[in-house]
Amino acid sequence: MNTQQPNGQHPYQEVLVSPMYLAGSNGTGEAGFAPVTHWPHHYLDEGPCQLLVTSPDQRIRIGWFGDDFELWKITAAEDAVSAPRWTATFNHVTPAEIVAGLTTALAHDYAEADVYDSNARFLANPSLHWADAVRPLTDAGWTRDGGAKRGTVEITAPEGHAGVRIDNRLSGSDDETVTLWAGPPGWGTRAEAVFTARTPSHLIAATAAVMADPAPVMRERHQIDRKVEKLVTFTPVGQTAPRAPRAPTPLDVRRTAVTQAVQRAARFPRTAADLRVMAARSRTAASAQRRSSNPAPTLGARPLASPSDPRRSR
């Protein structure tokens, strides 16, 4: 995939990057926290977790580890002091917009849940069918890799630069069974989102749906790793693609046909009707010329007003 932006552009120029899952992190967690801005925020001065956002009852926890490889850690539990039912982690290369797919779904589930409901949707058991968790990807044309290891399922994007790996061989509740990935292997190029075995399928699907979304995201050019530049498309912010010419409507066609017919008739009066019209115009013009050449005024005609007479308004 070639970039639309020529070399030598300012490294801090804002550009739209697509596909979004190769855009990397922009260094902030704003997009991921946006759906839960109304939840309590806890800023931590000590420890690797710098910001912890929790649901009001603290059953859902969203941690931001600003200087760590695993940048995000999101959990849900039956109550504030219970061990997590499931865990989702996102590494430092994962776009925060992908994290927002999960946090948006969590905010929605929490808004609909009863504070005393231990069976809230964000604590639901995962589907028995692995396809339910990745359906947005398969619906978008991502295909299954027939060469996956026994007991695993691998699905890749059409261009092969992103995918999902499902490990059905593990059975422990804390085992990491679903991994969404994007980008070539490498510390600064491979984005990964990992979900443990008991993560509700609809939450994984909500995250996958963002990966399947073709909409670009905004970045500064220097934030895109050089190894990824050749895999994405850049569009400078403010530049829009040229519009395709609008197809004429039936009304446009009729108007054009009428205009052309009138123009042809004026230039080339070929029909009998055209000739009659022109003859009538000619007779009218000749009659007017004869009347104007007669100096005697007609009976009952009003005298012409002299230039000094004031004109009466109608």
Side-chain angles (χ1 to χ4, degrees):
M1 188 179 300
N2 296 324
T3 60
Q4 295 180 351
Q5 182 174 343
N7 294 330
Q9 292 288 351
H10 196 283
Y12 292 94
Q13 181 188 24
E14 292 182 334
V15 292
L16 296 176
V17 183
S18 61
M20 176 269 298
Y21 49 72
L22 294 177
S25 173
N26 63 354
T28 72
E30 292 180 358
F33 285 117
V36 292
T37 53
H38 56 294
W39 285 4
H41 286 47
H42 311 275
Y43 296 91
L44 309 177
D45 296 329
E46 298 182 2
C49 184
Q50 299 176 6
L51 172 62
L52 180 65
V53 176
T54 67
S55 59
D57 60 5
Q58 297 197 7
R59 288 192 290 174
I60 299 173
R61 299 190 173 200
I62 305 170
W64 164 264
F65 297 73
D67 299 321
D68 206 341
F69 173 76
E70 291 184 345
L71 194 60
W72 301 81
K73 185 175 183 180
I74 301 175
T75 64
E78 295 182 3
D79 55 58
V81 296
S82 296
R85 174 80 65 89
W86 57 264
T87 301
T89 57
F90 300 82
N91 75 351
H92 67 296
V93 182
T94 306
E97 291 84 356
I98 292 180
V99 181
L102 176 57
T103 55
T104 298
L106 285 172
H108 181 269
D109 285 357
Y110 185 80
E112 292 188 340
D114 190 321
V115 176
Y116 301 99
D117 183 8
S118 60
N119 294 319
R121 195 162 185 243
F122 59 83
L123 297 172
N125 291 323
S127 171
L128 297 176
H129 305 286
W130 60 262
D132 292 339
V134 295
R135 193 170 304 281
L137 301 179
T138 55
D139 288 347
W142 295 34
T143 56
R144 185 171 179 176
D145 184 356
K149 295 180 180 179
R150 184 180 180 85
T152 66
V153 176
E154 294 193 16
I155 297 172
T156 56
E159 83 289 346
H161 300 315
V164 57
R165 183 173 58 254
I166 304 171
D167 193 339
N168 294 320
R169 299 170 299 179
L170 307 176
S171 58
S173 60
D174 294 327
D175 290 336
E176 298 175 345
T177 59
V178 178
T179 301
L180 295 167
W181 62 270
W187 183 86
T189 55
R190 173 62 64 92
E192 288 189 346
V194 182
F195 302 86
T196 56
R198 299 178 70 184
T199 307
S201 298
H202 76 281
L203 295 179
I204 300 175
T207 311
V210 180
M211 292 188 67
D213 189 345
V217 293
M218 189 168 66
R219 293 288 186 270
E220 293 178 354
R221 184 177 172 84
H222 70 92
Q223 294 174 333
I224 308 301
D225 191 278
R226 291 185 179 274
K227 296 179 181 179
V228 179
E229 283 186 341
K230 61 182 179 181
L231 306 179
V232 300
T233 298
F234 294 120
T235 302
V237 172
Q239 175 177 312
T240 57
R243 292 185 177 182
R246 180 177 64 87
T249 66
L251 180 58
D252 294 333
V253 174
R254 289 195 297 271
R255 285 174 174 171
T256 301
V258 170
T259 300
Q260 293 175 347
V262 171
Q263 292 174 348
R264 286 196 303 268
R267 293 195 303 267
F268 308 106
R270 299 175 180 176
T271 66
D274 295 333
L275 294 173
R276 286 195 297 271
V277 169
M278 292 190 67
R281 289 178 178 175
S282 178
R283 289 194 299 270
T284 302
S287 176
Q289 184 176 4
R290 286 195 300 270
R291 287 196 300 269
S292 63
S293 62
N294 187 357
T298 58
L299 294 176
R302 295 180 57 186
L304 297 176
S306 66
S308 59
D309 294 334
R311 292 178 178 266
R312 296 177 180 271
S313 61
R314 295 180 180 177

